[in-house]
Amino acid sequence: REYQPVFELTTRIGSLLGIPVCLDCITKQGITTQVKNLSDKASRIKLLKDAFAVDEARLKGKSVLIFDDLYQSGATLEVVARDVLKKGSAEKVYALTITMARGKS
């Protein structure tokens, strides 16, 4: 996507709260199938394994807020949070989502 609404929201919230925002501390590696097209959480987690790179130098020892636009099953947040804690050596991880998918997830 050329325009990332999540980045705009993240930047604005960070500015209002006076907290630093890092838009590239967690980056997607390679191409993955759309997670929303998979029917169960286990399949989503399997697909997302090793899908993210984490900048340890900028996250080590920090409390990190992961901001996502859609909560469906929690698979993406689970994988990213695990990576931020393990690969990024963050102290704590919190999550914030804007919308929740309707129906079964």
Side-chain angles (χ1 to χ4, degrees), residues 25-29 48-61 79-91 93:
C25 286
I26 304 162
T27 55
K28 202 171 199 180
Q29 301 184 124
L48 293 169
K49 185 180 183 302
D50 300 320
F52 299 96
V54 178
D55 187 339
E56 181 182 6
R58 290 160 66 188
L59 298 179
K60 187 174 184 176
V79 170
V80 172
R82 185 180 312 136
D83 286 352
V84 167
L85 288 168
K86 289 184 179 178
K87 296 178 188 177
S89 301
E91 180 71 26
V93 175

Side-chain angles (χ1 to χ4, degrees), residues 2 5 8 10 14 21 28 36-37 48-49 55 60-61 65-66 70 78 93 98 101:
E2 190 173 306
E8 296 296 322
T10 302
V21 172
K28 202 171 199 180
K36 66 183 177 185
N37 296 332
L48 293 169
K49 185 180 183 302
D55 187 339
K60 187 174 184 176
L65 174 64
I66 301 168
L70 176 67
E78 185 175 321
V93 175
I98 297 299

Side-chain angles (χ1 to χ4, degrees), residues 41 44-45 48 70-80 105:
K41 184 175 179 179
R44 292 174 182 166
I45 289 174
L48 293 169
L70 176 67
Y71 179 91
Q72 190 163 2
S73 69
T76 303
L77 289 175
E78 185 175 321
V79 170
V80 172
S105 302

